[in-house]
Structure formats: C-alpha cells, structure tokens
Amino acid sequence: MLMETSPTCALVDSFGRRVSYLRLSVTDRCDLRCVYCMSEKMTFMPRRDILSLDELARVARAFIRIGVRKIRITGGEPLVRKGVIDLFQDLSACLKGGSLQELTLTTNGTRLAHHARDLALAGVRRVNISLDTLDPHRFVALTRGGSLATVLDGIDAAQEAGLAVKINTVALSGSTEDEIDDLISFTHTRGMGLTLIETMPLGETGEDRLDQYLPLDRLRRQIEARWSLKDIGLRTGGPARYARVAETGGVIGFITPMTHNFCETCNRVRVTAAGVLHTCLGQNDAADLKAVLRASEDNTLLLETIAHALQHKPRGHDFVLDRASVPQIARHMSATGG
C-alpha cells in the first residue's frame, strides 16, 4: 500500500476546467447484456491485460495526490470482479484521512445484496443502480436474460445497509415513455433519486440506436403533463441537471449528451480496467497508464503522464446519431467505465 500524501497540485486542463472526479473501472465484464450497452456475444479483455487490485489502488491514490476528491468505481459490473471489496477497503483509508471526500459505486444491482453491508463498512455512502424498467418481462428483454427480482433485492439491501440510492435509467423509445410515471413513483416513494440518461453511440450492440433513442427534452415534456417540475441548482459532481417534483419532493436528474452538450463544466476523467486514461467519454483520446505503472514502482512518470493527458483533454464530445453512421466510438461503455 502506498503512503498517504497531501495533494501537490490541481488537475486543470487547457480550458481551465478543474478535474476532481475519477471514474475508475475495475472490469469490462458484466453479468447482463443490456441492449444499449453491449452486444449479446461479447469478447472481453484477457485477464492479463486487466490491472490488478493493487495497481488500481495505486492509480486511484495517484489521482488523489494531485487533486481528485471523488472516485466512482465502475465496470462493466464492478461487483463481478473477484476481491473488489478489498479495493474499497484500501481506499477507505483515504476517506478517513480526508484526502478523498467521496467513494461511490455504479452497479447493475445483481450482486448488491451480497456486498451492500461490506461497501457501507468501507465508507461508501451512496450507490447508483442501473434500472431501466420495472416490468419483469421487459427487464429480461432489455438485459438479455437478467432478473428484475435480483436487482430489487439489491436495492433493498443497499437501503438496509444505510446507503443512499440513486436509480439511473437509460431513456429508451417505446419503453421509458410507458413507465416513466411508475419509475418516478417507485424511486421517490422509497426516497431514491432518479436520473434519466440519453443513449449514446458507443460500441456496436447489434441494435439500432436510432430506434432506441429518446430525447430527454421530449420525455421531460411528457413528465410535465402530469408532474410539476422546478429546476434546482443541485450539483453532485456529474453532468446531470436536476429538477424537483412538487408532488413527491423527490429529484429527477437529466443527462443529455445528445441534446444538450454539458462539456463546458466537465470535471471528470475515466480510467479503464486495462489502465487506459480517457479524458473524454466521447472522443478517442487515450493515455496508457498500465505501461507506466509496470515500468516503475516510482510514481513520478505516472503523475507526469496524467498531467500531460489532461493538457490534451478535448473541449468536448460531438456524438452523432443517424442511420448512416457507425458508432463514433468503437469501444463499448462497458470497456470504458460508466
């Protein structure tokens, strides 16, 4: 384990944006095959190409040293990674020491019933759970074989462990419109937030993304036909813009990479399970941290590589979604980290 150090500098890109948020993927594997995320028959990275848990901790601590204050552990599905709770326990020392303000998790919820208590003990205070439908049959279709009951058990376990829960729902045409009122009622009745996300052209899934695509401005108009929304200035470190529902008191977040570019306030970078640093989800920029990690036990070159990559962080993404174009980014979201 690396010794704790105080931040020596801040991560600021060439456009003056301060990067304080790392999304760290621990695996590209997942036990579901969601239709907007990956193809039904995926080829995953060889295990030898994946960073060890010690290497992942080393990367996390390097980012903490230079100004990152929030880390979200992602996948694939992070809880399928053997021993991943050890990583949370390792990084909990940074929480206790004050160098890290928040350690969170994005999960599909399938294994949360088994791990919720251990996550809470490691200092995790909230989790994002992906849930796109409350209909068991539709859940099977969207995930290509998953069990809604298992995810609902995971939500129960998370709340029983004292974790705050936010539900992430990818807006899908022909699905979300039918269920949006039920999703609002379900989440807000249980004290959970709901964040809606536009589907993005990342990786080949075997599905027509234009058929799936549901613009959130259109969905919001549908919501406002029944519910009273008031925009609020809530900020949670991510790209969502929030509105409060007067009838429930709960909050809905809107993440709109297609209809409303939010890049001017981007404060985050991603590191894949293979140790590739992407400073923009919607561009092909990449820096190989794995080679640097394995070349030396000293972190000097690692920190230099991160700083250099940040100076080349793009101004923003420019996703294109039409039938004539292949996915702009060949890598899948599961490989990049959500």
Side-chain angles (χ1 to χ4, degrees):
M1 181 184 295
L2 300 175
M3 295 298 293
E4 286 299 317
T5 57
S6 299
T8 57
C9 64
L11 286 172
V12 179
D13 71 11
S14 60
F15 301 102
R17 296 171 298 192
R18 183 183 294 270
V19 173
S20 58
Y21 183 1
L22 170 65
R23 297 189 178 185
L24 180 63
S25 175
V26 298
T27 181
D28 66 328
R29 297 170 186 267
C30 188
D31 51 355
L32 301 179
R33 298 289 183 273
C34 295
V35 296
Y36 54 81
C37 182
M38 61 175 71
S39 61
E40 191 166 5
K41 296 182 179 179
M42 286 289 293
T43 300
F44 297 109
M45 289 182 281
R47 296 187 187 277
R48 65 178 178 275
D49 292 342
I50 303 297
L51 297 184
S52 69
L53 293 175
D54 285 344
E55 288 172 329
L56 288 164
R58 184 177 165 194
V59 168
R61 288 170 179 268
F63 274 97
I64 292 168
R65 179 180 174 185
I66 52 178
V68 159
R69 289 294 167 266
K70 176 179 177 179
I71 294 178
R72 178 174 298 281
I73 301 300
T74 69
E77 169 46 47
L79 296 182
V80 304
R81 175 72 188 262
K82 185 178 180 180
V84 70
I85 296 300
D86 294 340
L87 177 62
F88 284 96
Q89 292 171 340
D90 190 339
L91 295 179
S92 69
C94 301
L95 290 170
K96 294 174 183 176
S99 57
L100 182 65
Q101 293 175 357
E102 188 173 19
L103 179 63
T104 64
L105 167 73
T106 293
T107 174
N108 63 25
T110 59
R111 305 198 177 197
L112 199 49
H114 301 289
H115 295 296
R117 180 172 171 78
D118 287 336
L119 289 166
L121 290 173
V124 175
R125 294 293 172 259
R126 64 187 185 95
V127 295
N128 287 4
I129 301 175
S130 300
L131 180 63
D132 305 311
T133 177
L134 295 170
D135 181 284
H137 301 292
R138 182 174 278 164
F139 189 91
V140 171
L142 291 180
T143 62
R144 299 189 178 110
S147 166
L148 175 62
T150 301
V151 176
L152 296 179
D153 287 344
I155 293 172
D156 289 342
Q159 292 194 306
E160 289 169 5
L163 300 174
V165 174
K166 183 177 76 172
I167 298 299
N168 287 347
T169 297
V170 174
L172 298 170
S173 180
S175 170
T176 311
E177 303 104 318
D178 299 340
E179 296 195 57
I180 187 60
D181 292 333
D182 290 338
L183 285 163
I184 292 171
S185 296
F186 170 74
T187 54
H188 291 183
T189 298
R190 299 190 52 158
M192 301 184 294
L194 172 65
T195 293
L196 303 168
I197 307 169
E198 291 177 336
T199 185
M200 292 171 276
L202 287 165
E204 183 55 60
T205 66
E207 304 284 338
D208 190 326
R209 282 219 174 78
L210 200 58
D211 287 342
Q212 296 176 336
Y213 176 54
L214 175 60
L216 286 189
D217 54 357
R218 191 171 87 200
L219 183 60
R220 176 162 178 158
R221 288 194 295 271
Q222 179 185 332
I223 294 170
E224 290 178 320
R226 173 173 174 181
W227 308 91
S228 305
L229 301 187
K230 181 179 181 180
D231 292 328
I232 58 176
L234 177 66
R235 292 290 178 265
T236 61
R241 292 175 170 85
Y242 292 95
R244 189 172 301 283
V245 180
E247 292 82 353
T248 67
V251 169
I252 302 177
F254 297 87
I255 297 181
T256 54
M258 306 302 297
T259 57
H260 188 287
N261 190 302
F262 42 71
C263 302
E264 69 277 2
T265 58
C266 183
N267 65 339
R268 58 207 164 274
V269 296
R270 290 170 169 82
V271 174
T272 73
V276 178
L277 168 61
H278 295 289
T279 60
C280 177
L281 177 63
Q283 299 288 357
N284 283 310
D285 70 302
D288 185 1
L289 302 186
K290 178 171 63 182
V292 175
L293 280 169
R294 295 181 178 178
S296 172
E297 293 184 1
D298 182 85
N299 279 349
T300 301
L301 185 56
L302 174 62
L303 296 172
E304 290 175 353
T305 302
I306 294 170
H308 182 266
L310 257 293
Q311 291 311 303
H312 293 84
K313 180 175 170 68
R315 180 183 291 274
H317 66 255
D318 45 14
F319 286 127
V320 174
L321 189 62
D322 59 50
R323 295 191 196 280
S325 65
V326 297
Q328 175 190 346
I329 306 298
R331 67 181 184 272
H332 291 83
M333 176 65 87
S334 58
T336 309

